[in-house]
Amino acid sequence: MKRVIAIDGPAGAGKSTVAKIVAERLGCTYIDTGAMYRGVAWKTLRQSQEATDEAILRAVHDIDVRLSCTESGTHVTVDGTDVTAEIRTPEVTHIVSRVAALGAVREKMVELQRTMAAEGAVVMDGRDIGTNVLQNADVKVFLTASVEERARRRYDEMRAKGYAVDLEELKQEIASRDKQDSEREISPLRQADDAVLLDTTTLSIEEVAARIMELCE
Ligand code: DC
């Protein structure tokens, strides 16, 4: 069985849901790198009125972001505060792509991600895992789905959490994040040359997980 799995793709493609299942089946640690960038965004908003580059850099320079994988999912702490729920708010989502575009933020997060991966078998999801963070991963998957389907999934997820979201607005926000994430200068969202492309638009979670398990065997 292969033991270092990189899963990349745009927002709402199902990466974290599937990565969690695959990690559990393989007995690997699941690392949600998007949660780390969200942690930096959360701290920026907590410290500053506006998310300027200076505010983001101030937030990241001494940040202590930690992920812990438990039965109930990934828990995230920033400087000792549990921010697991707070990093999923629309306010954080709105600025996170800008936060993740800054070189100083990426350098710090990538270093942490590589340190975590060095500790053992991992399934890591994000935007630049196959192209940058874990270039030697045993299996690389690029998950995608139509923007309509991704917006619909986010809509269901946010509604279930009690947020009054609008489907059309979500679609625009996802499209705008995709654009920012794939057009940024440093490590943009891109399918690695050796990654397997999986379009999940018409697939169930179980079908996607099963396909990735096949690739790992
Ligand atoms: O997967 P997510 O939606 O929680 O990620 C939040 C943002 O973080 C996403 O818009 C882009 C950024 N990100 C990144 O630039 N690189 C990663 N490896 C993971 C996420």
Side-chain angles (χ1 to χ4, degrees), residues 77-91:
T77 63
V78 169
D79 301 334
T81 303
D82 188 326
V83 295
T84 305
E86 286 86 342
I87 59 167
R88 306 286 166 195
T89 60
E91 291 75 21

Side-chain angles (χ1 to χ4, degrees), residues 116-144:
M116 288 192 275
E119 283 168 16
V122 293
V123 177
M124 190 179 279
D125 80 5
R127 304 293 190 286
D128 62 336
I129 312 306
T131 54
N132 177 42
V133 183
L134 303 175
Q135 286 181 44
N136 295 324
D138 301 302
V139 172
K140 296 183 186 178
V141 179
F142 193 84
L143 279 194
T144 188

Side-chain angles (χ1 to χ4, degrees), residues 1-5 7 16-30 69-71 121-123 204-217:
M1 284 290 232
K2 309 283 187 164
R3 283 292 180 256
V4 176
I5 322 292
I7 302 181
S16 60
T17 309
V18 164
K20 229 176 286 169
I21 297 172
V22 171
E24 206 176 293
R25 290 188 190 164
L26 292 174
C28 293
T29 304
Y30 165 52
C69 234
T70 69
E71 294 254 312
V122 293
V123 177
S204 68
I205 292 167
E206 181 47 42
E207 283 169 325
V208 180
R211 180 81 184 91
I212 298 177
M213 289 302 292
E214 271 170 36
L215 295 171
C216 295
E217 276 159 12

Side-chain angles (χ1 to χ4, degrees), residues 39-50:
V40 181
W42 173 84
K43 183 173 174 184
T44 304
L45 290 178
R46 182 158 152 139
Q47 283 185 335
S48 311
Q49 300 268 18
E50 251 187 279

Side-chain angles (χ1 to χ4, degrees), residues 142-184:
F142 193 84
L143 279 194
T144 188
S146 69
V147 69
E148 287 76 17
E149 175 62 16
R150 291 187 284 125
R152 199 192 52 74
R153 290 177 190 168
R154 259 304 134 81
Y155 177 83
D156 291 346
E157 197 181 301
M158 295 301 278
R159 294 289 285 219
K161 285 184 187 165
Y163 288 105
V165 283
D166 177 80
L167 184 60
E168 197 47 42
E169 270 175 28
L170 272 183
K171 198 169 127 187
Q172 280 168 21
E173 183 238 286
I174 283 182
S176 145
R177 272 211 293 149
D178 286 355
K179 186 168 154 59
Q180 290 183 70
D181 293 342
S182 45
E183 289 182 356
R184 70 173 175 236

